[in-house]
Amino acid sequence: MRILLVCHSFNSLSQRLHVDLRQAGHEVSVELDIHDDLTREAVALFAPDLIIAPFLKRALPEDVWRKTLCLIVHPGIRGDKGPSALDRAILRGEQDWGVTLIEAREEMDAGPVWAWREFPMRQARKSSLYRHEVTEAAVACVMEAIARMAGGDAQPLMQANRGKGRVEPACSVADRLVDPTRLTAEEALTIIRASDGDPGAGMTIAGHVYKAFDAEVAPGLSGQPGELLGRSRQSVAIACREGALWIGHLRDKVARTPKLPALRLLGAAAKDLPLLQRPDPYRYHEDGGVGFLEFEFYNGAMSTEDCETMRTAVQAAKARKCPVLVLQSGADCWSNGIHLGLIETADSPADESWRNIEAMNDLVREIITCDDRIVIAGVLGNAGAGGVFLSLAADEVWMREGIILNPHYKDMGNLYGSEYWTYLLPARLGEARARRVTQARLPMGVKEALDLGLASRMLPGDVDAAHAELRSAATALAAQPDIGERISDKRMKRQRDEAQKPLAVYRQEELQRMRRNFYGFDPSYHVARYNFIRKVPKSRTPVTLAIHRASGWPDQQTGGARS
């Protein structure tokens, strides 16, 4: 089928559908919901058999959905209507929730139902529920509806969206307000989770109003409600009516800052706070001859400090005598590379960009030169830009089915990129395929990554099952009788590669290009970073996504997966 995705932004769900639909052989194009006339133009140019709207913030034009079947992904159970469906489900403490695929009609979320899925709710951030349960349910609904159409059943399952759900308005500022003087830590955490990652929960800290994100209960801590109790790395602890919370990230709405580590934004108000112990984001343990280094970065962004701390953690793991080392991410994100938010708000974004990429390069080199064991990258969450190439520093890359990769830098103002990618990527894919991947600017699924050589093993899509297989397969690898021979072969290959062209030369060549991005006369990187961090709406859909707007369309069609 020829399918047009219309979305407010090309978010994680939109990318997943783009990947899966193309993998299934459909011809897919994307139009960002910028203006009704542009949507109409896209439909006229592409002539889709079906329009899918995975993420919208307003209604599609009536003349569009009357002409072409339009299916809307609604993150709510049957009968639910309103723009804050998932947020309110978390606030109410729903035990079960779901996704409903609804045909567009005059009344929002009220049209015929083509498919639905339900799932048990986890105690988690809204963004995490969206990346996992909502995304899996949405993909299942879309694939079910398309399969029925292909089988000749082009009719909805229900003529209207009816069920046990309710009609509710968008969450208000008051719904998202956290007052530590009247809420327990658990109650406050629920509100923050329902607002994470957008738009955040309103919270007054040290007399200033912020939007709060990235929270968790601080066991054993208490104090005067609203009082800042202490700090740990970049987080702060704040007392509630009962208990306390760790707050990892804040946004200053008045100063129009992006999400930043809490300690960075609070500044003088937090500098004299006592140091407290918060669970370390880098957890190391051993099992069956395998060292497991687990880590998690909020939204996958790695600051200079994060890179330095993780490098120290890798060095400590290398001091242990295990034949296999697993670098295992959280299930939401592996890494998206350097921390663009901290760079954007630095006194000199160019200088901080340089510091951050140097620290990232140091970390990648630490992994590449680990020649006395086999290193496995356990990529359990989405990855982008430098984060993808960070994984390639390992000997094997095991990826959880369903994650999305964006192995390119170009959309960030033609950023050249570093992380030794000019060494790592061609070594796995070959020069021609490496060039195509970095130029394509398209999201990629794990099956395609396996075909190309970016991944060496696919783990189950279920997070618990992926954890279990990662551990069992890694311990089996460590127990293989030829593990010593494999390590020896790896060491000799690294020596041959170094003799042919030292890592230092790859790094120097990459950074020479990066210096132009950061300090050169072309401001494209700085403009693209500003627009990305400040969420400046796009004025057009990139032709890499909107193939109907590409030169030569429709003679040069680009549907289907890359080969």
Side-chain angles (χ1 to χ4, degrees), residues 254-325:
V254 175
R256 297 176 59 82
T257 68
K259 297 175 197 174
L260 294 173
L263 206 60
R264 167 71 176 269
L265 267 188
L266 290 172
K271 71 181 181 67
D272 294 326
L273 290 175
L275 284 170
L276 300 176
Q277 189 65 37
R278 187 184 183 187
D280 200 313
Y282 307 96
R283 300 172 295 278
Y284 180 81
H285 64 95
E286 295 178 2
D287 181 21
V290 180
F292 293 90
L293 177 57
E294 301 177 23
F295 61 91
E296 189 163 8
F297 305 108
Y298 183 69
N299 287 341
M302 297 178 66
S303 67
T304 301
E305 180 185 0
D306 290 329
C307 295
E308 293 170 346
T309 306
M310 185 168 174
R311 183 188 178 202
T312 300
V314 170
Q315 289 172 330
K318 288 167 67 173
R320 306 288 296 178
K321 301 300 181 184
C322 291
V324 175
L325 171 63

Side-chain angles (χ1 to χ4, degrees), residues 158-479:
M158 299 172 58
Q159 291 306 310
N161 182 20
R162 299 189 184 93
K164 60 183 179 181
R166 60 185 79 180
V167 181
E168 292 194 280
C171 284
S172 66
V173 172
D175 292 326
R176 302 189 190 276
L177 183 62
V178 173
D179 182 353
T181 64
R182 65 179 185 85
L183 297 176
T184 68
E186 292 286 355
E187 291 167 340
L189 179 62
T190 297
I191 295 173
I192 296 174
R193 280 178 167 171
S195 307
D196 199 335
D198 188 68
M203 193 173 190
T204 300
I205 302 176
H208 194 84
V209 178
Y210 296 95
K211 294 289 187 179
F213 308 84
D214 183 23
E216 64 181 44
V217 170
L221 295 182
S222 63
Q224 187 69 25
E227 175 191 6
L228 284 172
L229 302 175
R231 59 190 171 93
S232 178
R233 296 178 301 278
Q234 292 296 313
S235 302
V236 295
I238 187 167
C240 297
R241 180 171 62 82
E242 292 179 12
L245 285 180
W246 282 112
I247 305 294
H249 284 75
L250 296 170
R251 181 160 59 87
D252 188 331
K253 192 171 183 180
V254 175
R256 297 176 59 82
T257 68
K259 297 175 197 174
L260 294 173
L263 206 60
R264 167 71 176 269
L265 267 188
L266 290 172
K271 71 181 181 67
D272 294 326
L273 290 175
L275 284 170
L276 300 176
Q277 189 65 37
R278 187 184 183 187
D280 200 313
Y282 307 96
R283 300 172 295 278
Y284 180 81
H285 64 95
E286 295 178 2
D287 181 21
V290 180
F292 293 90
L293 177 57
E294 301 177 23
F295 61 91
E296 189 163 8
F297 305 108
Y298 183 69
N299 287 341
M302 297 178 66
S303 67
T304 301
E305 180 185 0
D306 290 329
C307 295
E308 293 170 346
T309 306
M310 185 168 174
R311 183 188 178 202
T312 300
V314 170
Q315 289 172 330
K318 288 167 67 173
R320 306 288 296 178
K321 301 300 181 184
C322 291
V324 175
L325 171 63
V326 174
L327 306 176
Q328 178 181 323
S329 74
D332 288 342
C333 293
W334 159 268
S335 168
N336 287 316
I338 58 179
H339 200 306
L340 297 177
L342 283 171
I343 290 170
E344 175 63 26
T345 54
D347 292 337
S348 169
D351 287 350
E352 185 55 36
S353 297
W354 190 261
R355 289 181 64 240
N356 205 160
I357 198 62
E358 286 274 36
M360 178 67 90
N361 282 344
D362 289 342
L363 169 60
V364 174
R365 189 180 189 282
E366 195 71 52
I367 299 168
I368 294 173
T369 57
C370 181
D371 64 359
D372 62 347
R373 67 201 69 204
I374 301 298
V375 181
I376 298 168
V379 183
L380 302 184
N382 296 345
V388 176
F389 303 109
L390 169 66
S391 74
L392 299 186
D395 303 297
E396 297 197 15
V397 184
W398 298 359
M399 294 181 175
R400 183 174 62 81
E401 185 179 14
I403 69 166
I404 295 299
L405 311 174
N406 280 280
H408 49 81
Y409 305 92
K410 294 289 186 180
D411 283 343
M412 195 49 60
N414 285 314
L415 192 65
Y416 185 73
S418 195
E419 294 100 1
Y420 299 92
W421 77 265
T422 54
Y423 167 61
L424 296 168
L425 194 62
R428 288 181 184 264
L429 277 63
E431 292 286 349
R433 281 188 167 188
R435 193 176 303 111
R436 285 205 302 273
V437 166
T438 55
Q439 296 297 322
R441 305 191 190 192
L442 290 174
M444 180 188 297
V446 178
K447 291 179 181 177
E448 187 176 352
L450 279 169
D451 291 341
L452 288 170
L454 280 172
S456 43
R457 184 187 187 109
M458 183 164 66
L459 301 170
D462 177 80
V463 173
D464 290 338
H467 279 143
E469 184 171 315
L470 176 60
R471 280 163 171 73
S472 64
T475 53
L477 174 62

Side-chain angles (χ1 to χ4, degrees), residues 71-80 97-102 111-119 133-134 136-145 148 155-164:
L71 300 181
I72 313 294
V73 174
H74 178 68
I77 56 174
R78 282 173 293 164
D80 180 87
W97 201 238
V99 166
T100 310
L101 191 63
I102 307 170
V113 172
W114 282 74
W116 66 86
R117 290 292 187 280
E118 295 187 1
F119 50 79
E133 285 85 349
V134 170
E136 295 300 331
V139 170
C141 285
V142 168
M143 293 304 188
E144 177 193 324
R148 289 211 320 276
Q155 295 297 321
L157 299 177
M158 299 172 58
Q159 291 306 310
N161 182 20
R162 299 189 184 93
K164 60 183 179 181

